[in-house]
Amino acid sequence: VAAGEYFVSIEWNGVIVYDTHSVTSATAQFANVKTFGAIGDGITDDTTAIQAAINDTTYGLIYFPPGDYKCGNLTIARSKIIIEGQGATIFWTGTGSAATRTYIGMQITGSRAEVEISHMSFMGDSLAASAHGGIYWLNAVSIANLWVHDCVFSNVVNGVSGLRTASGTWGPIKIESNDFEIVRGTGVGQGDGIYLENNVASSRETLIRGNRFTNTEAHDDRLVKLYGATLQGNHSSGHRSATFTAGTVAAFSFSGCRQLTV
């Protein structure tokens, strides 16, 4: 399609999901993962098909029809995309390593801008050793305008996780109206619903709003060296419940942060 402003509307079970989307090139696309061969039956491994749909979309919308998608690690190496999964659940398969932060999840790589992930459910097998996660990025990744909303993260080692040490910058970021439930593990890189670490000594606004945390083993929300963050209307329940390892650990943990509003 030609460059311009487009209105995307999807209706599923009477629910309309919509977004206005700027198209800056003539290559904008609508990619349905099932068109690329994904089955969504909860049995077939759909990793290759879904990755092909993501890789093929230069700008535009990647759509998951209702279904249960069995997947290994997925990589997002695109900007200006919307990943929309109204009624779609990803069940992770395979084993990663939380200690080295090589999870099985939806991984953002490189320098990305304007990425939206919404209405997806990410399900692990509840075993910390499997290192099944949600959405994450590692060192040397630069992200601008990431929005994660209305997603469910369940039986994983982390929900939304971003780590930076020597290089890469990111922000602004919005994480809002998500459910983080049963986040397992107390080791390095485990048990946090949201874990964000940055070293940029300037304000890159992060908004964490309206999220619900239930039964996280480490922290509901852990922020390290973050500059310019707002937490608003988040809800914690069952933090480190009796079913998990005993001990006192804060639901919300902030280290070396500046310009932080709670």
Side-chain angles (χ1 to χ4, degrees):
V1 297
E5 290 283 341
Y6 292 87
F7 184 80
V8 178
S9 179
I10 298 174
E11 181 174 346
W12 174 71
N13 280 4
V15 177
I16 296 177
V17 181
Y18 61 90
D19 188 74
T20 56
H21 191 60
S22 271
V23 176
T24 57
S25 83
T27 57
Q29 301 167 351
F30 176 97
N32 185 324
V33 296
K34 288 196 172 182
T35 302
F36 287 80
I39 305 300
D41 60 1
I43 300 173
T44 305
D45 191 329
D46 289 323
T47 308
T48 299
I50 293 172
Q51 190 64 64
I54 294 173
N55 293 347
D56 191 68
T57 306
T58 305
Y59 298 97
L61 179 70
I62 301 166
Y63 176 54
F64 286 74
D68 296 330
Y69 300 87
K70 183 180 177 182
C71 290
N73 195 63
L74 298 170
T75 301
I76 299 175
R78 294 288 185 267
S79 295
K80 290 186 177 292
I81 62 170
I82 301 168
I83 295 179
E84 170 60 48
Q86 189 68 254
T89 299
I90 290 181
F91 289 91
W92 299 121
T93 184
T95 301
S97 170
T100 59
R101 292 188 169 90
T102 52
Y103 306 111
I104 302 295
M106 189 169 279
Q107 181 180 6
I108 301 172
T109 63
S111 297
R112 306 296 158 222
E114 298 181 42
V115 175
E116 178 182 348
I117 303 171
S118 60
H119 302 100
M120 297 288 298
S121 293
F122 301 95
M123 301 291 177
D125 63 6
S126 195
L127 299 176
S130 296
H132 293 167
I135 298 165
Y136 73 101
W137 59 97
L138 302 175
N139 298 337
V141 172
S142 296
I143 303 172
N145 295 313
L146 170 67
W147 186 20
V148 179
H149 65 95
D150 297 288
C151 292
V152 176
F153 304 88
S154 182
N155 289 297
V156 292
V157 296
N158 58 40
V160 179
S161 178
L163 170 69
R164 175 194 182 272
T165 55
S167 59
T169 60
W170 44 264
I173 290 172
K174 291 194 296 183
I175 305 171
E176 57 183 343
S177 301
N178 301 289
D179 285 300
F180 300 90
E181 52 189 38
I182 311 180
V183 186
R184 306 307 302 264
T186 55
V188 176
Q190 300 177 358
D192 296 319
I194 297 173
Y195 172 58
L196 301 178
E197 179 177 352
N198 209 341
N199 285 329
V200 179
S202 61
S203 178
R204 294 178 175 271
E205 185 62 34
T206 299
L207 175 63
I208 300 172
R209 178 171 61 190
N211 300 287
R212 296 161 296 274
F213 302 91
T214 307
N215 291 351
T216 61
E217 287 200 62
H219 306 284
D220 293 346
D221 193 337
R222 181 185 179 197
L223 305 182
V224 180
K225 299 178 182 177
L226 211 63
Y227 295 80
T230 299
L231 288 84
Q232 184 180 65
N234 298 287
H235 183 264
S236 174
S237 65
H239 177 62
R240 289 180 70 82
S241 70
T243 58
F244 292 151
T245 305
T248 302
V249 175
F252 293 85
S253 172
F254 312 122
S255 304
C257 295
R258 300 182 184 180
Q259 302 174 22
L260 179 66
T261 302
V262 181

